Amino acid sequence: MNKQEERPMTKSALKGVGASLALILMAASPALAQSGAQSTDDGRTWRSYGQNPGSTNFSPLTQITPENVGGLQRAWTFRYGGGTDDEGDRGLDYRWEVTPLVIDGVMYVSTPTNPNILELKSTITALEPETGKVLWKWESERNIHGRGIAWWPGDATHGPRIIFATDKGYLAALDVRTRQLAADFGQGGLIDAYVGVVSEVVGESRRDTFTIPNPVALYDNLIITGARPGEMGPPGPRGDVRAWDVRTGELVWAFHTVPQPGEANHETYSGDEWKDRSGANVWSTITIDEENGVVFAPVGDLNGRAAGSELYANSLLALDARTGALKWHHQVTHKDLWDWDMPTPPVLVEFRQGDRTIPAVALTGKQSLLFVYDRLTGRPLHEIEERPTPRSDDPKDDAWPTQPFPVRPGPLARVTMTRDEIPNITPEQHAYCTAFWDENNIEVTGLYGRPLMTRGTLSFPSTLGGPNWGGPSYDPNSDVFIVNVQNMGQFRPAGPVTPGFGGPRPPRRRGAAEPGAPITQSGFAYRIDADTMLPCTPTPWGELVAVDISKGEILWRAPLGTIPGLKTDVATGARNLGGNIQTAGGLVFIGATNDRTFRAYDARTGEEKWSVELDASAHSTPITYMGKDGKQYVVVTGAGGTAVGAPRMSDTLNAFVLP
């Protein structure tokens, strides 16, 4: 992993390295480094995946506004060499869903390989943010996962480092000054993160499916991360949250998300259920409260079922950033039988209660509920009720009898429908969906619904969410939290409950383009052709939702996305995967949808103000920053992904600016 493109240091690159001295001095004093987590940024940087360690995806820039955003023009396009094709998804580890970083006047991105282009290498690439010009490029002998990187500013004895993950479970540190792997980090710049979470029983059997797919979090001199151990049952790698020293690669602490013998809540697992238990992992993004030294980790579902509520799966963990000690936790789904893991990062917010402002953390997930807690105590700031949930008539179903429901603001995505709400986008769609409903004698079981023995069931949301991977945004000035959701149900045919997420799906019909074939991940849709499916659930199928965090009120909803090639006046919305950002200029920027379109919305009203077609869908989270030329840029990766109806994959990073 030490091949480097031979390029002289440009003036721009030298300037970027020199400017990092200020950050090094800041890092030498933890008090200074932690004092301005979100309030002191002037918009010239995008220093971490969520813009800041608090994952707010908010920029203070105001140059681009709802009044002038319609004038945005393409500034530049960068292609990493992966090419464009219509052959569909290249695989989870080869998707390019990167959120770039902008530090000291230099943009940094990671790029993956392409399994169809053998000579293509993964890279860490430095770009000029105003032009997209390549300043330098370091090539890796391993595949770098495509969602992004993390930046450590250095200290009194170490220069800045870029931290990233590769295939087979390795963490790496690239020295920005030398453009080589940091020799004093782990073994020659690498940490084997697979080691330490597997027993002899597991051995090397699961290494190929183990990775760290999202950018790591950094607190002071610690790298903090979860992992994706692969979605197979035990025995498998544990989903521990761990911290390493960013200078040496030494393991500092580990928190077991499946409690081990002698640990709190170990008794919630029966017998040997805890052994070699995979899942209960943080595959999404960890958020850091720098001021209070707290790690907020959104833990996903357990791989394979256990008898109890499956702590700490589907939970928000608050951990001491320096020691990994548990401060508090809340499980937001008990015994997850729906595949409703925690794909969105927790977001640090300010909760206004009378004349008090309470530091808070907000979390949503595929189940579309929004939880808000006091960061320091874990106290729910909007009341949460444990409510009975729909039951199956199968006596073998072992669903947990209750689930936690925040009283406000209520579900962010659709949780029910009636037969009369079947959409009529085309007469053929309406006829097919109505017949399908009647033939299966569908009962709508809604949120946390379970399959029935004698009737088909439709529950909401589907395994896709609600909110899914990407990230919400939060404007600390307006107190508005914005998240993109999907409104599609999960159909399950009549029959006994089976292991997994609630039962079998209907059989696939022969012929990918056969009209009416109902298979999507929602299992309740009308197929027009090989690439176009119309869900049988009510429109809009994709939405942006704005919430007043402190009041717990939904302020507005806006349809998000279109169905390519479909001629209709209906605001259909679309499936979406990726995040949104807000700016102090009053805008929301989002790609995410499967229609290859990047959009801007008025953050006050939800009105769409601008859009542009990309080479492929932007299943990523955009960024914005102020260039050295005094212009505000907006940048998004448009490289495609897995959404139905969006087979195109590409390799473009797209920048836009006012003329």
Side-chain angles (χ1 to χ4, degrees):
M1 279 186 77
N2 56 8
K3 185 178 178 182
Q4 179 186 338
E5 184 179 272
E6 295 298 328
R7 290 178 181 267
M9 288 282 277
T10 66
K11 290 182 179 180
S12 297
L14 284 169
K15 182 178 179 181
V17 172
S20 66
L21 289 175
L23 290 174
I24 294 173
L25 291 173
M26 178 181 259
S29 171
L32 283 174
Q34 296 170 25
S35 62
Q38 292 150 231
S39 60
T40 60
D41 180 24
D42 62 1
R44 296 184 180 277
T45 68
W46 197 276
R47 66 175 175 133
S48 61
Y49 172 76
Q51 204 281 335
N52 50 68
S55 300
T56 62
N57 278 317
F58 174 77
S59 168
L61 295 179
T62 59
Q63 189 177 98
I64 306 173
T65 69
E67 290 69 38
N68 64 23
V69 67
L72 278 183
Q73 298 179 0
R74 186 177 292 271
W76 52 262
T77 302
F78 165 75
R79 294 180 178 269
Y80 73 84
T84 297
D85 61 62
D86 291 317
E87 298 176 4
D89 187 32
R90 295 169 186 160
L92 183 60
D93 293 325
Y94 302 98
R95 299 174 195 160
W96 202 38
E97 301 166 331
V98 70
T99 295
L101 303 184
V102 177
I103 311 287
D104 300 333
V106 178
M107 178 180 290
Y108 300 94
V109 297
S110 58
T111 68
T113 59
N114 182 332
N116 303 318
I117 306 177
L118 298 180
E119 65 273 18
L120 183 69
K121 301 287 188 182
S122 272
T123 76
I124 301 295
T125 297
L127 304 172
E128 187 171 65
E130 297 79 16
T131 66
K133 174 185 174 183
V134 175
L135 300 176
W136 56 265
K137 179 172 65 175
W138 174 85
E139 293 186 337
S140 168
E141 297 301 323
R142 300 179 183 274
N143 184 40
I144 301 173
H145 201 284
R147 285 183 180 162
I149 55 182
W151 173 275
W152 181 63
D155 60 17
T157 57
H158 297 78
R161 291 180 173 181
I162 293 172
I163 311 299
F164 59 96
T166 78
D167 56 3
K168 301 184 184 296
Y170 288 91
L171 271 176
L174 182 71
D175 189 310
V176 176
R177 293 184 301 189
T178 66
R179 301 179 201 160
Q180 299 289 345
L181 290 179
D184 55 353
F185 179 82
Q187 299 296 315
L190 293 173
I191 297 171
D192 187 350
Y194 183 75
V195 172
V197 292
V198 294
S199 68
E200 292 183 4
V201 173
V202 180
E204 291 290 301
S205 65
R206 298 277 288 275
R207 182 179 282 278
D208 286 346
T209 62
F210 184 92
T211 189
I212 298 170
N214 280 21
V216 304
L218 287 161
Y219 174 77
D220 197 4
N221 296 321
L222 294 177
I223 301 168
I224 303 172
T225 182
R228 190 190 76 217
E231 295 187 357
M232 294 180 283
R238 295 193 308 274
D240 297 352
V241 180
R242 289 179 288 175
W244 288 270
D245 189 303
V246 70
R247 297 160 298 194
T248 66
E250 228 179 285
L251 182 66
V252 177
W253 56 258
F255 179 86
H256 299 131
T257 54
V258 174
Q260 303 295 290
E263 295 179 344
N265 293 307
H266 173 69
E267 70 282 356
T268 62
Y269 286 82
S270 300
D272 290 338
E273 286 183 328
W274 59 274
K275 282 189 175 180
D276 293 321
R277 177 64 69 169
S278 198
N281 58 294
V282 182
W283 65 264
S284 183
T285 308
I286 287 172
T287 292
I288 305 291
D289 181 344
E290 289 187 316
E291 183 177 357
N292 295 298
V294 182
V295 172
F296 292 104
V299 183
D301 56 274
L302 197 69
N303 288 344
R305 303 274 63 90
S309 64
E310 302 180 352
L311 282 173
Y312 295 101
N314 299 88
S315 297
L316 177 61
L317 305 179
L319 307 177
D320 186 299
R322 295 199 179 278
T323 67
L326 180 66
K327 288 179 170 289
W328 56 263
H329 76 278
H330 283 282
Q331 190 173 56
V332 299
T333 297
H334 308 314
K335 198 181 187 73
D336 182 9
L337 302 175
W338 302 266
D339 192 22
W340 286 346
D341 45 12
M342 308 304 297
T344 59
V347 179
L348 300 192
V349 300
E350 301 298 326
F351 190 88
R352 298 171 180 123
Q353 194 173 66
D355 59 355
R356 297 177 60 210
T357 298
I358 302 170
V361 58
L363 178 71
T364 188
K366 288 183 184 179
Q367 84 283 65
S368 85
L369 301 176
L370 177 61
F371 298 83
V372 185
Y373 304 102
D374 184 312
R375 282 185 228 167
L376 301 182
T377 67
R379 176 175 64 93
L381 295 175
H382 291 307
E383 182 185 357
I384 297 174
E385 297 176 347
E386 280 286 336
R387 300 176 186 169
T389 49
R391 311 303 298 158
S392 173
D393 55 3
D394 184 346
K396 294 181 181 179
D397 187 21
D398 61 349
W400 202 254
T402 64
Q403 295 292 343
F405 287 80
V407 173
R408 292 185 301 277
L412 304 180
R414 175 176 287 274
V415 295
T416 190
M417 70 172 288
T418 66
R419 183 180 180 278
D420 291 341
E421 291 181 292
I422 292 173
N424 192 9
I425 306 299
T426 70
E428 295 82 5
Q429 176 214 21
H430 185 266
Y432 175 84
C433 295
T434 303
F436 189 88
W437 181 292
D438 293 340
E439 289 167 7
N440 288 277
N441 193 23
I442 286 178
E443 178 174 322
V444 179
T445 56
L447 192 61
Y448 291 107
R450 300 295 297 140
L452 299 174
M453 298 279 282
T454 57
R455 301 182 64 174
T457 56
L458 187 64
S459 61
F460 289 86
S462 75
T463 58
L464 298 172
N468 203 315
W469 175 77
S473 62
Y474 172 72
D475 181 343
N477 302 316
S478 66
D479 202 29
V480 174
F481 176 99
I482 296 178
V483 65
N484 42 303
V485 303
Q486 302 173 92
N487 292 313
M488 293 183 292
Q490 184 78 33
F491 170 76
R492 297 176 177 89
V497 173
T498 59
F501 300 117
R505 293 176 181 156
R508 288 183 179 273
R509 298 189 178 185
R510 296 179 182 272
E514 180 185 349
I519 303 305
T520 65
Q521 280 191 272
S522 73
F524 187 36
Y526 174 75
R527 183 189 289 278
I528 291 182
D529 55 38
D531 294 329
T532 306
M533 284 185 167
L534 304 181
C536 292
T537 48
T539 58
W541 298 314
E543 283 185 297
L544 268 183
V545 183
V547 181
D548 184 307
I549 279 289
S550 299
K551 293 180 180 178
E553 296 177 356
I554 293 177
L555 300 174
W556 52 258
R557 295 177 177 274
L560 175 64
T562 59
I563 306 299
L566 184 67
K567 296 180 180 179
T568 178
D569 294 330
V570 176
T572 61
R575 287 179 54 175
N576 52 89
L577 190 70
N580 74 86
I581 65 172
Q582 289 188 67
T583 71
L587 289 167
V588 186
F589 288 98
I590 184 168
T593 52
N594 61 0
D595 57 7
R596 304 182 190 174
T597 303
F598 184 44
R599 295 177 169 87
Y601 290 80
D602 189 319
R604 298 164 297 185
T605 65
E607 179 185 359
E608 183 176 324
K609 305 296 290 186
W610 171 83
S611 67
V612 63
E613 185 174 335
L614 304 176
D615 198 42
S617 296
H619 296 304
S620 58
T621 301
I623 69 169
T624 187
Y625 55 88
M626 187 68 75
K628 293 188 290 289
D629 55 5
K631 296 181 179 181
Q632 181 183 351
Y633 290 79
V634 184
V635 172
V636 69
T637 302
T642 60
V644 169
R648 174 166 292 188
M649 300 290 288
S650 188
D651 62 348
T652 63
L653 188 66
N654 308 271
F656 301 92
V657 71
L658 292 174

